[in-house]
Amino acid sequence: MQPVLDPNPQNSQKKMLLVFGAFFAIFVIIGIIATIASP
């Protein structure tokens, strides 16, 4: 059986970075929409 915490967590780190990037992108998009929507 493999341990829950991988000794070489490269893939999980990449996945976390991807999730963080997507979160940041959504935040930026919301900011742009709010700037356009505001009079």
Side-chain angles (χ1 to χ4, degrees):
M1 253 180 86
Q2 267 189 321
V4 177
L5 285 169
D6 235 9
N8 194 17
Q10 253 181 333
N11 201 30
S12 70
Q13 203 172 17
K14 201 173 177 182
K15 195 182 258 184
M16 207 172 91
L17 200 78
L18 196 82
V19 170
F20 191 77
F23 215 81
F24 192 74
I26 290 161
F27 194 77
V28 169
I29 289 162
I30 289 164
I32 290 163
I33 289 165
T35 305
I36 292 163
S38 64

